[in-house]
Amino acid sequence: MKYRYLILSAILFFACTAQAQNVVKGSVNEAGRSTKLSNVFVRDNQNRQMTITDNKGAFSIRTETGHILIFSSPGYVSDTLYVTDFTPKKIELVTETINLKQVNISAKRESFDAHKEYPEVYTRSKVYPLSPTSWFSKEARDARKLKKYFKREEEERHIDEVFNMNYVQSIIPLRGQELENFMTLYRPSYAFITNNNGPSLAVYINDSYKKYQALPAEKRTLPELKE
């Protein structure tokens, strides 16, 4: 029994040692502020490594000198880092300064299939009973986080496809900025979209429109993003 434990310990030690090589660690903040940014997508397209920042904005990713790391998060301008060494990095992302009035929420998102774009994420996220690294390695843990990240993105895209501007304006008389405000305020959840049919969605939109009409004028508008 002790022999088995020694073998398991050795496997974990060498797995961790191998992963510790050529790793860049750091943190991601909002530019000009001390706000730590979680769930920032970090990727190295050259070696197909990916990760996301944790709740404290920290990240760790395997890479090589000469590679470029890309940092992206909704609401922020994407940034890149050219890797010259493996010292800790501090990344600052600038908030997007687009006024909400300029955003066309009816615009369809570009087609994205995470299974095709990043099949290695789904391979690495699998857990095998006889493979300790599939349970404990950072690479496996990151893959499982990314799998959840992609799942959320797929759900949001599905909502966009069903709860689209053309459909909503065919049911209620709102147009332009008012329609955009309404769709943002009463955007349905993924669970609702998947568990209800077309007629149920139409009823939801009509009921939400009545609630929207009952709101004071100042509550029907969305705050502008700060420059």
Side-chain angles (χ1 to χ4, degrees):
M1 185 63 71
K2 289 183 179 180
Y3 180 69
R4 290 182 179 178
Y5 282 125
L6 287 173
I7 293 177
L8 177 59
S9 298
I11 292 174
L12 290 174
F13 172 78
F14 286 115
C16 293
T17 301
Q19 291 177 0
Q21 298 173 355
N22 296 340
V23 171
V24 166
K25 296 182 179 181
S27 62
V28 182
N29 288 24
E30 184 174 310
R33 303 180 62 184
S34 59
T35 305
K36 304 292 185 182
L37 299 180
S38 61
N39 294 324
V40 175
F41 188 27
V42 186
R43 68 184 185 276
D44 180 335
N45 285 343
Q46 287 148 291
N47 64 5
R48 305 290 289 179
Q49 293 294 311
M50 293 156 286
T51 188
I52 54 178
T53 56
D54 62 19
N55 292 334
K56 296 181 180 180
F59 71 91
S60 176
I61 186 170
R62 291 172 59 192
T63 186
E64 302 286 344
T65 55
H67 284 199
I68 295 176
L69 301 181
I70 304 171
F71 299 81
S72 57
S73 181
Y76 294 88
V77 178
S78 296
D79 198 6
T80 58
L81 171 70
Y82 182 76
V83 180
T84 58
D85 55 52
F86 301 102
T87 58
K89 311 298 180 184
K90 182 178 180 181
I91 307 299
E92 294 190 341
L93 295 185
V94 178
T95 55
E96 291 183 330
T97 57
I98 299 176
N99 189 302
L100 282 175
K101 293 181 180 179
Q102 298 174 327
V103 178
N104 181 1
I105 61 175
S106 66
K108 187 176 180 181
R109 299 191 189 189
E110 293 182 7
S111 177
F112 174 72
D113 187 338
H115 292 269
K116 291 182 179 179
E117 294 285 337
Y118 301 103
E120 59 272 23
V121 167
Y122 296 90
T123 300
R124 296 170 186 167
S125 66
K126 293 180 180 179
V127 174
Y128 301 95
L130 299 180
S131 175
T133 56
S134 72
W135 288 84
F136 305 112
S137 72
K138 180 183 180 301
E139 193 171 83
R141 294 197 306 271
D142 283 350
R144 286 191 283 273
K145 287 195 295 183
L146 284 165
K147 185 178 177 181
K148 292 180 181 179
Y149 177 94
F150 290 147
K151 184 176 184 295
R152 289 195 301 270
E153 178 65 15
E154 289 175 356
E155 291 175 354
E156 291 302 314
R157 289 170 187 271
H158 182 63
I159 296 173
D160 287 343
E161 291 175 0
V162 178
F163 189 70
N164 62 75
M165 184 172 286
N166 289 334
Y167 179 69
V168 175
Q169 69 182 4
S170 72
I171 298 174
I172 60 176
L174 296 178
R175 297 293 183 272
Q177 187 62 47
E178 280 193 310
L179 178 60
E180 294 184 13
N181 292 345
F182 170 83
M183 291 183 65
T184 302
L185 290 170
Y186 295 97
R187 182 178 175 84
S189 67
Y190 177 75
F192 180 89
I193 291 293
T194 54
N195 293 321
N196 289 275
N197 55 21
S200 296
L201 179 58
V203 170
Y204 167 80
I205 293 172
N206 274 313
D207 287 345
S208 297
Y209 177 58
K210 293 176 183 177
K211 295 177 183 177
Y212 179 81
Q213 286 181 304
L215 290 175
E218 65 272 14
K219 296 291 185 180
R220 297 183 188 181
T221 59
L222 300 173
E224 295 183 356
L225 295 179
K226 295 181 179 180
E227 297 291 333

